[in-house]
Amino acid sequence: MPASRSTRIVLLVYGLVVIGLLYLPLVSVGFASVSQARYLSFPIKRYSYKWYAEVLESGTVRDLLFTSLSVALIVMILSVVIAFFGALAFARYEWRYRSIFQKLILLPIFFPQTVLGLALLMWFNALGIIPSWKTAVVAHLVWIAPISTLIVAIRAYSFDPALEEAARDLGANTPTILREITLPLLLPGLVSSGLFALLLSWGNFPLSLFTTGADSTLPEWLYAKMVSGYSPLVPTLGIMSVVTSIVLILTAFAVAWLARSIRDSHAA
Amino acid sequence: MQKLNRRLGFLSSLPILAVFLVAFFAPLMVVALFSVMPPKVFNLTNTPDFSAYSVFFEQGYYRSLLWSLGMALGSTAILLIVCWPLAYGMAKVFRGFTLVLTVAVVMSLFVSENIRLFGWVLTLMKGGLIEGHIRAWTGIGFDSPLYGIPIIVFGLVYVYLPFMLFPLAQGISMVPDDARQAAADLGATRWQILTQIDIPLAAPGIIVGCLLSFVLAAGAVAEAKILGGQAVITIADDIETAFTFGQDWPLGSALSVILIFIIGSLSLLGVSRVDLDRIMGRKR
């Protein structure tokens, strides 16, 4: 029952409106970041880039970026490794507790992040660990590793176990199979799960709030400034954070495209 | 072969289970233990007295819980209605546009929730993007819709839209076109197709979408704080305050345990009804 032309158009317009609304707040933030006035009011009378200059010169901002990036990169690497194995247990191997395992994986995703952050804070306290950005890595991992696992699992569902079985019949042992067959087949899923992990960690606020101790990530600093009154540095830094994410995504796409064209040229 | 599969399955589940054990289940145990401690202690070596739970009823914390659950219910219902046509379009109508929409929605997830909500404040405040421009062009201003309950629900709908949209689209794509065609050929009205074909067959997606958005909205803080100007206090906000300003870990823990209990039992109930292999596209 193909949809009529008018249904198609109405739904398309609706979709565009939803996308527009999703990004409308960022448009406001963008305008605010180039407004010269210290106290923002629309329509903007004079534009200036001076807040960007101020942000770039600030040492605090450099520390924030360094902390956020360190956390995000470590979370990415650990999540991809965990997700590789987790996805195999989730989707590939038939083992006894697989369906319980699948449901267990979902629990942290359903969990309120603020509460998880506080629970971890108490746990670290009980262990005598002083929170720093390293403990924030652990906190991010609890929430992000399951998401990465699900992303890799989608890929793992679509591959044919016969490939692995054939390799085994030809005498390959398990590490060889994982390296030569499974890893290349799951690679696209691993790349996208790594990207998700990096960006979700970069933007995460509720988990960082209670687990970074004296260190501070970018979203934390923005929140602190937001609730303590307006500062023109908030929209500026916000936009810079968004631009960083976009650059990361574009880089990932470019690398993926490059890798594919190199592989194709080898194949040809 | 089967035996090997079993062993490999178990072994490959270990890394993530280890993370869960040391950083998810252990902290939850600590929360549970703290919740039965006497007020305002910072270690677990005291005699349990359960007083924190009675505070929940005596000092009106149940009201925050009801507000949180009510707003979560409202936003979930709105999301279901708002997302259904879009999810239907993604699963059955759009071709290339499905990818555009998916990428656009996923990208928005990578921007910190704070920044996006702050953007709404700049958009909707008096002298903001909308009111400021309208006043400049027409000379007529209006009051800002910020700092009330409706705007908090709007914020929840806005932030959790992807968590309803994607499961719903996945669910609707599981409805076979033949079944809809057959129903239409046999004279079913659009309404009958919706209620008797689409909804029952897309049920796994509907359950997951509703569950995710309800659960996440019930534990939300930022919407009420940034957009709502704390017109109502959510339960997660109370938990946060108990830990920070209140310096009362047992109270915060007891409130957490109550929230975790509600969210956890709902999640388990919902997830146990869904076949994850099927919804995630297992082919074999």
Side-chain angles (χ1 to χ4, degrees):
Chain A
M1 196 171 53
S4 67
R5 200 182 146 77
S6 57
T7 319
R8 186 184 294 275
I9 291 171
V10 168
L11 284 177
L12 208 70
V13 170
Y14 182 54
L16 287 172
V17 169
V18 169
I19 294 179
L21 282 176
L22 275 181
Y23 286 92
L24 179 64
L26 291 182
V27 173
S28 301
V29 177
F31 275 117
S33 74
V34 290
S35 161
Q36 195 186 27
R38 180 164 284 275
Y39 296 99
L40 177 75
S41 95
F42 286 93
I44 288 164
K45 289 168 199 79
R46 298 174 77 166
Y47 293 93
S48 124
Y49 293 102
K50 69 171 176 184
W51 304 118
Y52 282 90
E54 202 162 302
V55 162
L56 289 173
E57 280 162 18
S58 151
T60 325
V61 170
R62 221 164 297 148
D63 291 345
L64 292 170
L65 289 177
F66 182 74
T67 312
S68 283
L69 208 60
S70 316
V71 172
L73 283 173
I74 298 174
V75 167
M76 177 185 80
I77 295 165
L78 292 176
S79 302
V80 170
V81 175
I82 294 169
F84 174 71
F85 293 105
L88 291 176
F90 192 104
R92 166 69 184 82
Y93 301 122
E94 291 296 338
W95 56 298
R96 194 196 257 163
Y97 302 107
R98 194 169 69 100
S99 78
I100 297 174
F101 174 75
Q102 288 180 329
K103 276 145 204 176
L104 208 61
I105 294 295
L106 297 180
L107 283 185
I109 305 176
F110 283 84
F111 209 79
Q113 290 184 44
T114 319
V115 178
L116 183 58
L118 284 164
L120 280 161
L121 176 67
M122 287 198 288
W123 170 237
F124 292 138
N125 177 276
L127 292 177
I129 299 171
I130 298 162
S132 69
W133 63 268
K134 291 172 198 127
T135 47
V137 169
V138 177
H140 284 198
L141 212 54
V142 180
W143 183 67
I144 291 174
I147 296 177
S148 302
T149 304
L150 291 182
I151 294 169
V152 183
I154 292 172
R155 179 81 194 168
Y157 274 126
S158 70
F159 96 66
D160 188 355
L163 288 169
E164 283 187 350
E165 281 154 24
R168 195 174 299 282
D169 291 343
L170 293 168
N173 58 11
T174 306
T176 314
I177 293 174
L178 283 179
R179 198 176 57 236
E180 300 289 329
I181 312 281
T182 319
L183 188 63
L185 281 171
L186 291 187
L187 199 61
L190 292 172
V191 171
S192 41
S193 83
L195 189 64
F196 262 79
L198 183 73
L199 294 167
L200 288 176
S201 169
W202 174 258
N204 185 281
F205 163 70
L207 288 169
S208 306
L209 180 61
F210 298 105
T211 52
T212 49
D215 297 326
S216 178
T217 64
L218 197 55
E220 271 181 88
W221 186 86
L222 287 174
Y223 182 74
K225 289 280 166 189
M226 265 175 224
V227 291
S228 67
Y230 184 79
S231 153
L233 295 184
V234 171
T236 312
L237 207 48
I239 286 296
M240 288 173 73
S241 153
V242 174
V243 170
T244 312
S245 305
I246 295 172
V247 169
L248 286 171
I249 293 167
L250 291 179
T251 316
F253 272 114
V255 169
W257 180 80
L258 211 66
R260 193 172 304 155
S261 54
I262 288 171
R263 201 183 56 206
D264 288 351
S265 69
H266 275 296
Chain B
M1 199 56 153
Q2 216 169 16
K3 210 173 140 198
L4 185 73
N5 253 339
R6 259 187 230 156
R7 211 182 63 216
L8 286 176
F10 173 70
L11 283 176
S12 48
S13 73
L14 289 180
I16 196 161
L17 289 183
V19 171
F20 279 21
L21 199 66
V22 297
F24 187 59
F25 295 115
L28 293 188
M29 278 309 291
V30 174
V31 172
L33 289 175
F34 257 111
S35 73
V36 297
M37 289 288 125
K40 309 227 171 190
V41 299
F42 293 101
N43 56 60
L44 293 167
T45 50
N46 299 278
T47 331
D49 73 347
F50 295 89
S51 61
Y53 287 94
S54 56
V55 171
F56 171 74
F57 293 101
E58 284 159 13
Q59 298 192 8
Y61 285 107
Y62 63 90
R63 248 175 276 146
S64 313
L65 181 67
L66 290 179
W67 269 118
S68 280
L69 296 179
M71 291 193 300
L73 198 65
S75 60
T76 305
I78 296 171
L79 271 172
L80 191 57
I81 296 165
V82 168
C83 289
W84 182 272
L86 206 56
Y88 175 76
M90 285 171 77
K92 299 285 178 194
V93 182
F94 306 144
R95 290 184 203 104
F97 189 62
T98 298
L99 185 67
V100 175
L101 200 62
T102 307
V103 171
V105 175
V106 169
M107 295 255 290
S108 77
L109 273 179
F110 296 141
V111 181
S112 193
E113 180 181 315
N114 290 337
I115 301 175
R116 289 184 287 149
L117 291 174
F118 177 69
W120 275 117
V121 175
L122 298 183
T123 310
L124 297 174
M125 68 184 190
K126 204 156 173 66
L129 186 75
I130 294 174
E131 199 266 352
H133 280 114
I134 288 180
R135 192 155 38 105
W137 291 331
T138 64
I140 307 159
F142 54 85
D143 280 335
S144 146
L146 290 171
Y147 313 128
I149 290 153
I151 199 73
I152 302 177
V153 176
F154 171 82
L156 294 171
V157 167
Y158 172 75
V159 168
Y160 298 113
L161 181 119
F163 300 92
M164 178 65 95
L165 182 63
F166 292 127
L168 215 53
Q170 186 62 24
I172 295 175
S173 71
M174 282 161 54
V175 180
D177 286 331
D178 298 349
R180 314 182 80 242
Q181 184 69 57
D185 289 346
L186 293 169
T189 60
R190 276 178 175 230
W191 178 250
Q192 281 174 319
I193 294 179
L194 178 71
T195 53
Q196 292 178 24
I197 308 282
D198 287 343
I199 292 179
L201 289 176
I206 300 175
I207 294 174
V208 173
C210 288
L211 205 59
L212 258 180
S213 29
F214 179 81
V215 161
L216 294 174
V221 190
E223 291 77 10
K225 265 193 170 167
I226 298 175
L227 291 179
Q230 298 191 306
V232 292
I233 309 285
T234 65
I235 185 72
D237 199 356
D238 271 338
I239 293 173
E240 211 183 296
T241 312
F243 278 106
T244 51
F245 299 111
Q247 289 292 308
D248 194 345
W249 288 17
L251 175 63
S253 301
L255 297 178
S256 302
V257 167
I258 293 166
L259 181 64
I260 292 167
F261 177 76
I262 294 171
I263 287 179
S265 36
L266 269 174
S267 314
L268 287 177
L269 195 76
V271 167
S272 65
R273 286 165 179 272
V274 174
D275 179 3
L276 287 166
D277 281 337
R278 214 164 98 73
I279 201 172
M280 288 182 64
R282 187 181 181 107
K283 297 209 175 80
R284 310 187 287 280

